[in-house]
Amino acid sequence: MHGDTAVGSRGRRSWGRDVWFICGALLVAAAAYAAGVILRGTKDFSFFVDGVLGLPAVVLPAAVGWLMVHRLKGQRPEIVLAAFALSCHAAGTIYYVVVSAAGENVPLPSPADIGYVGFYLLMFAALVATVRRQMRDMAGPVILDSVVGGSGAAAFLAVVLDPVLSSAFEGPHSGAAVLGAAYPLMDLLLVAATIAIAATAGRNVGRGWGLLVLGLLIHTGADIVHALLELNDLYVVGTPLDAAWALGAALIACWTVVQSRSGAPAMRRSREIPVQAVPALATLAGLGVLILATQQQVTVLAVVLASLTLALAALPMVFRQRIRLLDATRQARTDELTGLPNRRALYGELPGRLATAAGRPSAVLLLDLDKFKEINDGLGHDVGDRLLQQVASRLSGQLAPADLLTRMGGDEFVVHINDCVPHEAQAVALKAPRNTGRPV
Protein backbone atom coordinates (compact mmCIF):
# COMPACT_ATOMS: atom_id res chain seq x y z
CA MET A 1 0.00 0.00 0.00
CA HIS A 2 2.87 2.37 0.83
CA GLY A 3 4.41 1.58 -2.57
CA ASP A 4 1.16 2.50 -4.34
CA THR A 5 0.95 5.72 -2.34
CA ALA A 6 4.51 6.66 -3.27
CA VAL A 7 3.87 5.99 -6.95
CA GLY A 8 0.67 8.05 -6.84
CA SER A 9 2.49 10.89 -5.08
CA ARG A 10 5.25 10.89 -7.70
CA GLY A 11 2.62 10.88 -10.44
CA ARG A 12 0.87 13.89 -8.94
CA ARG A 13 4.15 15.78 -8.61
CA SER A 14 5.01 14.94 -12.23
CA TRP A 15 1.63 16.16 -13.45
CA GLY A 16 2.05 19.28 -11.33
CA ARG A 17 5.22 20.08 -13.29
CA ASP A 18 3.43 19.32 -16.55
CA VAL A 19 0.68 21.77 -15.60
CA TRP A 20 3.19 24.59 -15.25
CA PHE A 21 4.86 23.61 -18.55
CA ILE A 22 1.59 23.49 -20.51
CA CYS A 23 0.31 26.78 -19.08
CA GLY A 24 3.69 28.37 -19.78
CA ALA A 25 3.62 27.17 -23.38
CA LEU A 26 0.12 28.60 -23.88
CA LEU A 27 1.09 32.01 -22.51
CA VAL A 28 4.40 32.07 -24.43
CA ALA A 29 2.55 31.38 -27.70
CA ALA A 30 0.12 34.24 -27.01
CA ALA A 31 2.97 36.55 -25.95
CA ALA A 32 5.01 35.71 -29.06
CA TYR A 33 2.08 36.60 -31.31
CA ALA A 34 1.47 39.83 -29.38
CA ALA A 35 5.15 40.78 -29.69
CA GLY A 36 5.10 40.03 -33.42
CA VAL A 37 2.02 42.21 -33.93
CA ILE A 38 3.49 45.11 -31.99
CA LEU A 39 6.98 44.99 -33.54
CA ARG A 40 6.16 44.50 -37.21
CA GLY A 41 5.24 48.19 -37.64
CA THR A 42 2.64 47.70 -40.39
CA LYS A 43 -1.00 46.71 -40.48
CA ASP A 44 -0.66 44.75 -43.72
CA PHE A 45 -1.14 40.99 -43.55
CA SER A 46 2.07 39.17 -42.58
CA PHE A 47 2.47 35.46 -43.24
CA PHE A 48 4.99 35.12 -40.40
CA VAL A 49 3.11 37.13 -37.77
CA ASP A 50 -0.51 36.30 -38.64
CA GLY A 51 0.19 32.77 -39.86
CA VAL A 52 3.29 31.29 -38.19
CA LEU A 53 2.77 33.07 -34.86
CA GLY A 54 -0.96 33.83 -34.94
CA LEU A 55 -2.47 30.47 -35.83
CA PRO A 56 -0.60 28.42 -33.17
CA ALA A 57 -1.71 31.00 -30.59
CA VAL A 58 -5.37 30.06 -31.23
CA VAL A 59 -4.96 26.39 -32.21
CA LEU A 60 -2.81 25.44 -29.19
CA PRO A 61 -5.51 26.34 -26.61
CA ALA A 62 -8.02 24.13 -28.45
CA ALA A 63 -5.52 21.26 -28.58
CA VAL A 64 -4.79 21.61 -24.87
CA GLY A 65 -8.52 21.62 -24.13
CA TRP A 66 -8.97 18.29 -25.87
CA LEU A 67 -5.87 16.91 -24.13
CA MET A 68 -7.55 17.68 -20.81
CA VAL A 69 -10.78 16.04 -22.01
CA HIS A 70 -8.77 12.91 -22.79
CA ARG A 71 -6.98 13.05 -19.43
CA LEU A 72 -10.30 13.30 -17.58
CA LYS A 73 -11.90 10.68 -19.86
CA GLY A 74 -14.70 13.07 -20.81
CA GLN A 75 -16.17 13.01 -17.29
CA ARG A 76 -16.18 16.79 -16.82
CA PRO A 77 -18.89 18.43 -18.99
CA GLU A 78 -17.51 21.94 -18.47
CA ILE A 79 -14.08 20.90 -19.80
CA VAL A 80 -15.64 19.19 -22.84
CA LEU A 81 -17.74 22.27 -23.59
CA ALA A 82 -14.74 24.59 -23.18
CA ALA A 83 -12.70 22.42 -25.57
CA PHE A 84 -15.49 22.61 -28.17
CA ALA A 85 -15.70 26.39 -27.64
CA LEU A 86 -11.96 26.89 -28.12
CA SER A 87 -12.09 24.69 -31.23
CA CYS A 88 -14.90 26.81 -32.69
CA HIS A 89 -12.92 29.99 -32.01
CA ALA A 90 -9.82 28.47 -33.62
CA ALA A 91 -11.78 27.33 -36.69
CA GLY A 92 -13.33 30.78 -37.18
CA THR A 93 -9.94 32.47 -36.82
CA ILE A 94 -8.26 30.09 -39.27
CA TYR A 95 -10.90 30.86 -41.90
CA TYR A 96 -10.55 34.60 -41.26
CA VAL A 97 -6.75 34.48 -41.58
CA VAL A 98 -6.80 32.31 -44.72
CA VAL A 99 -9.26 34.60 -46.51
CA SER A 100 -7.31 37.68 -45.44
CA ALA A 101 -4.07 36.08 -46.66
CA ALA A 102 -5.65 35.73 -50.10
CA GLY A 103 -6.22 39.49 -50.13
CA GLU A 104 -10.01 39.20 -49.92
CA ASN A 105 -12.42 40.92 -47.58
CA VAL A 106 -14.21 38.58 -45.19
CA PRO A 107 -17.98 38.96 -45.74
CA LEU A 108 -20.54 39.26 -42.98
CA PRO A 109 -21.92 36.74 -42.36
CA SER A 110 -19.23 34.19 -43.23
CA PRO A 111 -18.26 30.66 -42.14
CA ALA A 112 -16.02 32.30 -39.53
CA ASP A 113 -19.12 33.60 -37.76
CA ILE A 114 -20.34 30.05 -37.23
CA GLY A 115 -17.23 29.38 -35.18
CA TYR A 116 -17.42 32.64 -33.27
CA VAL A 117 -21.11 32.24 -32.40
CA GLY A 118 -20.40 28.65 -31.39
CA PHE A 119 -17.70 29.89 -29.01
CA TYR A 120 -20.17 32.18 -27.23
CA LEU A 121 -22.87 29.56 -26.85
CA LEU A 122 -20.54 26.76 -25.79
CA MET A 123 -18.64 28.91 -23.28
CA PHE A 124 -21.91 30.03 -21.73
CA ALA A 125 -22.89 26.35 -21.41
CA ALA A 126 -19.47 25.65 -19.85
CA LEU A 127 -20.08 28.39 -17.27
CA VAL A 128 -23.45 26.86 -16.39
CA ALA A 129 -21.84 23.42 -16.06
CA THR A 130 -19.09 24.89 -13.87
CA VAL A 131 -21.48 26.10 -11.18
CA ARG A 132 -24.22 23.51 -11.65
CA ARG A 133 -22.97 21.19 -8.91
CA GLN A 134 -22.32 24.05 -6.50
CA MET A 135 -25.71 25.76 -6.93
CA ARG A 136 -27.50 23.51 -4.47
CA ASP A 137 -24.88 24.31 -1.80
CA MET A 138 -25.00 28.09 -2.29
CA ALA A 139 -27.02 30.22 0.07
CA GLY A 140 -29.84 32.36 -1.32
CA PRO A 141 -27.98 35.66 -0.74
CA VAL A 142 -24.94 34.33 -2.61
CA ILE A 143 -27.03 33.48 -5.66
CA LEU A 144 -28.80 36.83 -5.43
CA ASP A 145 -25.44 38.65 -5.27
CA SER A 146 -24.39 36.80 -8.43
CA VAL A 147 -27.54 37.86 -10.29
CA VAL A 148 -27.16 41.47 -9.12
CA GLY A 149 -23.53 41.50 -10.24
CA GLY A 150 -24.36 40.06 -13.64
CA SER A 151 -27.26 42.42 -14.35
CA GLY A 152 -25.26 45.46 -13.22
CA ALA A 153 -22.37 44.55 -15.51
CA ALA A 154 -24.78 43.95 -18.39
CA ALA A 155 -26.44 47.36 -17.80
CA PHE A 156 -23.08 49.15 -17.93
CA LEU A 157 -22.04 47.21 -21.03
CA ALA A 158 -25.35 47.99 -22.75
CA VAL A 159 -24.51 51.69 -22.48
CA VAL A 160 -21.04 51.12 -23.93
CA LEU A 161 -22.45 49.06 -26.81
CA ASP A 162 -25.37 51.42 -27.45
CA PRO A 163 -23.92 52.72 -30.78
CA VAL A 164 -23.43 49.18 -32.06
CA LEU A 165 -26.89 47.99 -30.99
CA SER A 166 -28.59 51.09 -32.38
CA SER A 167 -26.82 50.71 -35.73
CA ALA A 168 -27.80 47.04 -35.96
CA PHE A 169 -31.46 47.53 -35.05
CA GLU A 170 -32.01 50.69 -37.08
CA GLY A 171 -30.43 49.40 -40.28
CA PRO A 172 -32.04 47.17 -42.92
CA HIS A 173 -32.89 43.65 -41.81
CA SER A 174 -30.23 41.25 -43.15
CA GLY A 175 -27.84 38.55 -42.01
CA ALA A 176 -25.24 41.19 -41.29
CA ALA A 177 -27.72 43.17 -39.18
CA VAL A 178 -28.72 40.07 -37.22
CA LEU A 179 -25.10 39.25 -36.46
CA GLY A 180 -24.38 42.89 -35.71
CA ALA A 181 -27.02 42.76 -32.98
CA ALA A 182 -26.25 39.18 -31.86
CA TYR A 183 -22.57 39.74 -31.10
CA PRO A 184 -23.03 42.58 -28.57
CA LEU A 185 -26.00 40.78 -27.01
CA MET A 186 -23.91 37.64 -26.60
CA ASP A 187 -21.16 39.80 -25.09
CA LEU A 188 -23.75 41.06 -22.60
CA LEU A 189 -24.78 37.51 -21.74
CA LEU A 190 -21.24 36.19 -21.38
CA VAL A 191 -20.02 39.14 -19.30
CA ALA A 192 -23.07 38.89 -17.04
CA ALA A 193 -22.43 35.17 -16.47
CA THR A 194 -18.71 35.80 -15.91
CA ILE A 195 -19.35 38.50 -13.30
CA ALA A 196 -21.89 36.22 -11.65
CA ILE A 197 -19.18 33.56 -11.33
CA ALA A 198 -16.82 36.19 -9.91
CA ALA A 199 -19.44 37.00 -7.28
CA THR A 200 -19.27 33.39 -6.08
CA ALA A 201 -15.44 33.32 -5.93
CA GLY A 202 -14.20 31.63 -2.81
CA ARG A 203 -17.45 29.70 -2.56
CA ASN A 204 -16.43 26.39 -4.07
CA VAL A 205 -16.40 27.27 -7.78
CA GLY A 206 -13.22 25.23 -8.16
CA ARG A 207 -9.53 25.63 -8.81
CA GLY A 208 -8.29 28.25 -11.22
CA TRP A 209 -11.57 30.17 -11.44
CA GLY A 210 -9.61 33.42 -11.75
CA LEU A 211 -8.02 32.20 -14.98
CA LEU A 212 -11.44 31.48 -16.44
CA VAL A 213 -12.93 34.82 -15.39
CA LEU A 214 -9.89 36.80 -16.60
CA GLY A 215 -9.79 34.92 -19.91
CA LEU A 216 -13.47 35.54 -20.61
CA LEU A 217 -13.26 39.21 -19.65
CA ILE A 218 -10.26 39.73 -21.95
CA HIS A 219 -12.03 37.91 -24.79
CA THR A 220 -15.29 39.83 -24.43
CA GLY A 221 -13.38 43.07 -23.96
CA ALA A 222 -11.64 42.47 -27.27
CA ASP A 223 -15.03 41.74 -28.86
CA ILE A 224 -16.43 45.04 -27.59
CA VAL A 225 -13.48 47.04 -28.94
CA HIS A 226 -13.76 45.16 -32.25
CA ALA A 227 -17.49 45.98 -32.50
CA LEU A 228 -16.85 49.68 -31.91
CA LEU A 229 -14.01 49.72 -34.47
CA GLU A 230 -16.10 47.87 -37.05
CA LEU A 231 -18.86 50.43 -36.60
CA ASN A 232 -16.48 53.07 -37.99
CA ASP A 233 -14.70 50.73 -40.48
CA LEU A 234 -11.45 51.00 -38.50
CA TYR A 235 -10.76 47.34 -37.73
CA VAL A 236 -7.97 45.53 -39.63
CA VAL A 237 -6.48 42.07 -39.13
CA GLY A 238 -3.14 41.90 -37.34
CA THR A 239 -3.48 44.54 -34.62
CA PRO A 240 -2.84 44.03 -30.89
CA LEU A 241 -6.58 43.41 -30.60
CA ASP A 242 -6.08 40.01 -32.25
CA ALA A 243 -3.45 39.18 -29.64
CA ALA A 244 -6.02 39.92 -26.90
CA TRP A 245 -8.29 37.16 -28.27
CA ALA A 246 -5.33 34.77 -28.30
CA LEU A 247 -4.48 35.67 -24.68
CA GLY A 248 -8.10 35.13 -23.60
CA ALA A 249 -8.15 31.70 -25.25
CA ALA A 250 -4.81 30.80 -23.61
CA LEU A 251 -6.12 31.69 -20.14
CA ILE A 252 -9.30 29.65 -20.68
CA ALA A 253 -7.15 26.69 -21.74
CA CYS A 254 -4.97 27.20 -18.62
CA TRP A 255 -8.15 26.93 -16.55
CA THR A 256 -8.91 23.52 -18.09
CA VAL A 257 -5.36 22.39 -17.25
CA VAL A 258 -5.58 23.52 -13.62
CA GLN A 259 -9.01 21.90 -13.27
CA SER A 260 -7.60 18.59 -14.50
CA ARG A 261 -5.24 18.34 -11.53
CA SER A 262 -8.03 17.18 -9.26
CA GLY A 263 -10.21 15.28 -11.74
CA ALA A 264 -13.25 16.92 -10.09
CA PRO A 265 -14.18 20.31 -8.72
CA ALA A 266 -12.25 21.16 -5.58
CA MET A 267 -14.32 21.11 -2.44
CA ARG A 268 -12.20 23.53 -0.44
CA ARG A 269 -12.71 27.25 -0.35
CA SER A 270 -10.51 29.45 -2.46
CA ARG A 271 -9.51 32.98 -1.50
CA GLU A 272 -12.49 35.04 -0.41
CA ILE A 273 -13.40 38.41 -1.89
CA PRO A 274 -15.31 41.02 0.13
CA VAL A 275 -18.86 39.74 0.49
CA GLN A 276 -20.59 42.93 -0.70
CA ALA A 277 -18.00 44.04 -3.27
CA VAL A 278 -19.72 42.75 -6.41
CA PRO A 279 -23.34 43.71 -5.54
CA ALA A 280 -22.18 47.14 -4.29
CA LEU A 281 -20.31 47.89 -7.53
CA ALA A 282 -23.22 46.54 -9.58
CA THR A 283 -25.68 48.75 -7.69
CA LEU A 284 -23.50 51.81 -8.33
CA ALA A 285 -23.33 50.88 -12.02
CA GLY A 286 -27.11 50.51 -12.23
CA LEU A 287 -27.67 53.80 -10.44
CA GLY A 288 -25.17 55.51 -12.74
CA VAL A 289 -26.95 54.22 -15.84
CA LEU A 290 -30.31 55.51 -14.59
CA ILE A 291 -28.82 58.92 -13.76
CA LEU A 292 -27.23 59.04 -17.21
CA ALA A 293 -30.62 58.20 -18.75
CA THR A 294 -32.04 61.41 -17.25
CA GLN A 295 -29.35 63.47 -18.97
CA GLN A 296 -29.20 61.87 -22.39
CA GLN A 297 -30.79 59.16 -24.50
CA VAL A 298 -29.84 55.68 -23.31
CA THR A 299 -30.89 52.37 -24.85
CA VAL A 300 -34.02 50.84 -23.33
CA LEU A 301 -32.11 47.59 -22.69
CA ALA A 302 -29.63 49.42 -20.44
CA VAL A 303 -32.44 51.12 -18.49
CA VAL A 304 -34.28 47.82 -18.00
CA LEU A 305 -31.12 46.05 -16.80
CA ALA A 306 -30.20 48.92 -14.47
CA SER A 307 -33.71 48.94 -12.98
CA LEU A 308 -33.54 45.18 -12.50
CA THR A 309 -30.19 45.55 -10.75
CA LEU A 310 -31.51 48.09 -8.25
CA ALA A 311 -34.67 46.07 -7.64
CA LEU A 312 -32.70 42.90 -6.94
CA ALA A 313 -30.21 44.78 -4.77
CA ALA A 314 -33.11 46.06 -2.64
CA LEU A 315 -34.67 42.60 -2.37
CA PRO A 316 -32.53 41.41 0.57
CA MET A 317 -33.53 44.49 2.60
CA VAL A 318 -37.21 43.81 2.01
CA PHE A 319 -37.08 40.09 2.64
CA ARG A 320 -33.97 39.92 4.85
CA GLN A 321 -35.60 37.84 7.57
CA ARG A 322 -37.03 35.40 5.05
CA ILE A 323 -33.67 34.98 3.35
CA ARG A 324 -31.93 34.42 6.68
CA LEU A 325 -34.48 31.77 7.59
CA LEU A 326 -34.04 29.99 4.27
CA ASP A 327 -30.25 30.22 4.60
CA ALA A 328 -30.40 28.76 8.12
CA THR A 329 -32.57 25.91 6.85
CA ARG A 330 -30.13 25.20 4.03
CA GLN A 331 -27.17 25.20 6.41
CA ALA A 332 -28.99 22.81 8.74
CA ARG A 333 -29.28 20.35 5.82
CA THR A 334 -25.69 20.75 4.55
CA ASP A 335 -22.53 19.07 5.83
CA GLU A 336 -20.13 21.89 6.74
CA LEU A 337 -16.94 19.97 5.91
CA THR A 338 -17.77 18.60 2.46
CA GLY A 339 -20.65 20.82 1.34
CA LEU A 340 -22.77 17.72 0.67
CA PRO A 341 -26.32 17.23 1.95
CA ASN A 342 -26.25 15.74 5.46
CA ARG A 343 -28.23 13.08 7.34
CA ARG A 344 -31.17 15.45 7.87
CA ALA A 345 -31.30 16.24 4.14
CA LEU A 346 -31.26 12.54 3.30
CA TYR A 347 -34.16 11.77 5.65
CA GLY A 348 -36.08 14.70 4.21
CA GLU A 349 -35.47 14.00 0.52
CA LEU A 350 -35.28 10.22 0.23
CA PRO A 351 -39.01 9.48 0.87
CA GLY A 352 -40.01 11.97 -1.81
CA ARG A 353 -37.46 10.58 -4.27
CA LEU A 354 -38.73 7.04 -3.69
CA ALA A 355 -42.33 8.17 -4.12
CA THR A 356 -41.47 10.00 -7.35
CA ALA A 357 -39.84 6.85 -8.74
CA ALA A 358 -43.37 5.32 -8.88
CA GLY A 359 -42.29 1.71 -8.95
CA ARG A 360 -39.17 2.19 -11.06
CA PRO A 361 -36.05 0.48 -9.64
CA SER A 362 -33.57 2.57 -7.68
CA ALA A 363 -30.65 1.85 -5.38
CA VAL A 364 -29.18 3.09 -2.12
CA LEU A 365 -25.43 2.62 -1.61
CA LEU A 366 -23.88 2.73 1.85
CA LEU A 367 -20.20 3.70 1.72
CA ASP A 368 -17.50 3.97 4.35
CA LEU A 369 -13.72 4.29 4.32
CA ASP A 370 -11.42 1.44 5.33
CA LYS A 371 -8.94 2.28 8.12
CA PHE A 372 -10.14 5.86 8.37
CA LYS A 373 -9.73 5.81 12.17
CA GLU A 374 -6.07 4.85 11.79
CA ILE A 375 -5.55 7.81 9.43
CA ASN A 376 -7.25 10.20 11.86
CA ASP A 377 -5.30 8.90 14.85
CA GLY A 378 -1.95 8.58 13.09
CA LEU A 379 -1.87 11.65 10.84
CA GLY A 380 -4.26 13.99 12.61
CA HIS A 381 -7.81 15.20 12.09
CA ASP A 382 -6.76 17.84 9.55
CA VAL A 383 -5.50 15.11 7.22
CA GLY A 384 -8.66 13.10 7.86
CA ASP A 385 -10.81 16.13 6.99
CA ARG A 386 -8.92 16.68 3.71
CA LEU A 387 -9.35 12.99 2.87
CA LEU A 388 -13.11 13.25 3.40
CA GLN A 389 -13.23 16.33 1.16
CA GLN A 390 -11.33 14.48 -1.57
CA VAL A 391 -13.62 11.45 -1.31
CA ALA A 392 -16.70 13.68 -1.51
CA SER A 393 -15.24 15.48 -4.52
CA ARG A 394 -14.42 12.27 -6.39
CA LEU A 395 -17.76 10.68 -5.65
CA SER A 396 -19.55 13.82 -6.83
CA GLY A 397 -17.60 13.71 -10.09
CA GLN A 398 -18.66 10.11 -10.76
CA LEU A 399 -22.39 10.50 -10.17
CA ALA A 400 -25.11 11.83 -12.44
CA PRO A 401 -26.73 15.19 -11.60
CA ALA A 402 -29.97 13.45 -10.62
CA ASP A 403 -28.23 11.20 -8.06
CA LEU A 404 -28.22 12.15 -4.37
CA LEU A 405 -24.92 11.96 -2.47
CA THR A 406 -25.01 12.66 1.28
CA ARG A 407 -22.56 12.42 4.18
CA MET A 408 -24.14 10.70 7.15
CA GLY A 409 -21.29 11.59 9.52
CA GLY A 410 -17.77 10.36 10.20
CA ASP A 411 -16.56 8.40 7.19
CA GLU A 412 -20.03 7.25 6.10
CA PHE A 413 -21.66 8.33 2.83
CA VAL A 414 -25.01 7.38 1.28
CA VAL A 415 -25.89 7.51 -2.43
CA HIS A 416 -29.39 7.23 -3.88
CA ILE A 417 -29.47 6.42 -7.61
CA ASN A 418 -32.68 6.78 -9.63
CA ASP A 419 -33.67 4.33 -12.39
CA CYS A 420 -30.98 1.86 -11.42
CA VAL A 421 -31.17 -1.91 -11.77
CA PRO A 422 -29.01 -4.14 -9.51
CA HIS A 423 -26.11 -4.65 -11.93
CA GLU A 424 -25.89 -0.88 -12.57
CA ALA A 425 -25.80 -0.22 -8.82
CA GLN A 426 -23.07 -2.82 -8.49
CA ALA A 427 -21.06 -1.10 -11.22
CA VAL A 428 -21.34 2.25 -9.41
CA ALA A 429 -20.24 0.65 -6.13
CA LEU A 430 -17.19 -0.94 -7.79
CA LYS A 431 -16.28 2.32 -9.50
CA ALA A 432 -16.29 4.35 -6.28
CA PRO A 433 -12.72 4.72 -4.98
CA ARG A 434 -11.86 2.25 -2.18
CA ASN A 435 -15.32 2.03 -0.65
CA THR A 436 -17.36 -0.75 0.94
CA GLY A 437 -20.51 0.05 -1.03
CA ARG A 438 -23.43 -2.32 -0.95
CA PRO A 439 -26.80 -1.70 -2.65
CA VAL A 440 -29.79 -1.92 -0.32
Side-chain angles (χ1 to χ4, degrees):
M1 181 174 177
H2 292 293
D4 293 340
T5 303
V7 171
S9 178
R10 286 196 297 270
R12 287 191 294 272
R13 287 197 297 269
S14 175
W15 177 242
R17 290 192 296 269
D18 291 342
V19 166
W20 286 106
F21 174 79
I22 295 172
C23 290
L26 288 165
L27 296 176
V28 166
Y33 177 46
V37 169
I38 293 171
L39 295 176
R40 70 179 174 183
T42 177
K43 294 183 178 179
D44 294 332
F45 181 86
S46 167
F47 174 78
F48 177 73
V49 174
D50 298 310
V52 176
L53 296 179
L55 291 182
V58 295
V59 171
L60 186 58
V64 168
W66 287 112
L67 178 62
M68 297 308 106
V69 171
H70 174 72
R71 172 176 168 76
L72 297 172
K73 300 178 181 179
Q75 295 180 354
R76 296 283 299 282
E78 63 270 32
I79 304 300
V80 176
L81 290 166
F84 270 116
L86 291 170
S87 299
C88 286
H89 178 257
T93 302
I94 290 172
Y95 176 86
Y96 205 105
V97 170
V98 169
V99 173
S100 298
E104 301 177 8
N105 292 324
V106 180
L108 184 69
S110 75
D113 294 302
I114 299 175
Y116 296 146
V117 172
F119 171 84
Y120 281 106
L121 299 179
L122 290 166
M123 274 313 306
F124 181 77
L127 288 175
V128 173
T130 299
V131 299
R132 173 178 54 86
R133 290 185 182 277
Q134 287 75 30
M135 285 295 291
R136 68 181 182 184
D137 298 326
M138 289 182 186
V142 175
I143 298 175
L144 185 60
D145 287 349
S146 301
V147 176
V148 170
S151 60
F156 174 79
L157 196 55
V159 174
V160 175
L161 290 171
D162 185 28
V164 180
L165 290 169
S166 298
S167 175
F169 285 119
E170 292 173 2
H173 297 292
S174 63
V178 170
L179 280 175
Y183 278 127
L185 290 175
M186 287 187 291
D187 278 323
L188 286 174
L189 181 63
L190 198 55
V191 167
T194 303
I195 297 299
I197 286 228
T200 63
R203 296 183 174 93
N204 196 27
V205 176
R207 290 188 177 98
W209 69 270
L211 294 170
L212 174 63
V213 171
L214 183 59
L216 288 174
L217 290 179
I218 290 175
H219 192 282
T220 52
D223 278 343
I224 293 168
V225 175
H226 169 264
L228 295 173
L229 291 175
E230 281 282 15
L231 185 63
N232 299 297
D233 294 326
L234 296 177
Y235 173 74
V236 291
V237 177
T239 63
L241 185 62
D242 297 330
W245 280 310
L247 177 59
L251 290 171
I252 294 170
C254 286
W255 167 72
T256 67
V257 176
V258 174
Q259 285 279 296
S260 73
R261 292 185 64 181
S262 60
M267 298 299 294
R268 69 169 186 263
R269 288 177 180 266
S270 55
R271 183 180 300 174
E272 293 280 357
I273 59 175
V275 176
Q276 295 300 324
V278 172
L281 291 174
T283 302
L284 288 175
L287 186 60
V289 169
L290 293 180
I291 293 175
L292 181 64
T294 64
Q295 305 296 322
Q296 64 183 57
Q297 185 175 358
V298 174
T299 176
V300 175
L301 178 61
V303 173
V304 170
L305 289 171
S307 301
L308 177 63
T309 301
L310 295 181
L312 292 175
L315 191 60
M317 293 184 287
V318 179
F319 301 104
R320 187 178 301 276
Q321 192 61 35
R322 176 62 176 167
I323 290 176
R324 284 180 177 174
L325 179 61
L326 292 174
D327 190 26
T329 302
R330 183 201 64 83
Q331 291 179 356
R333 297 166 62 89
T334 301
D335 178 61
E336 183 177 356
L337 178 64
T338 63
L340 297 175
N342 60 14
R343 180 191 299 267
R344 184 177 299 176
L346 176 68
Y347 292 161
E349 293 185 30
L350 189 56
R353 291 171 64 91
L354 294 175
T356 304
R360 297 192 303 273
S362 63
V364 175
L365 306 181
L366 308 180
L367 318 174
D368 60 32
L369 306 182
D370 294 337
K371 301 182 179 179
F372 179 72
K373 186 177 185 301
E374 286 85 340
I375 294 174
N376 249 353
D377 294 342
L379 300 178
H381 290 282
D382 288 344
V383 174
D385 288 347
R386 290 199 295 271
L387 176 61
L388 290 172
Q389 290 172 335
Q390 283 293 318
V391 170
S393 176
R394 294 183 184 185
L395 288 173
S396 296
Q398 293 174 0
L399 297 174
D403 297 336
L404 174 65
L405 171 62
T406 61
R407 181 187 175 212
M408 298 294 286
D411 64 338
E412 297 177 345
F413 297 84
V414 173
V415 182
H416 177 250
I417 308 173
N418 279 324
D419 297 327
C420 182
V421 295
H423 75 272
E424 292 174 333
Q426 206 168 36
V428 173
L430 293 173
K431 185 179 179 182
R434 297 186 181 276
N435 64 73
T436 56
R438 57 186 187 277
V440 178

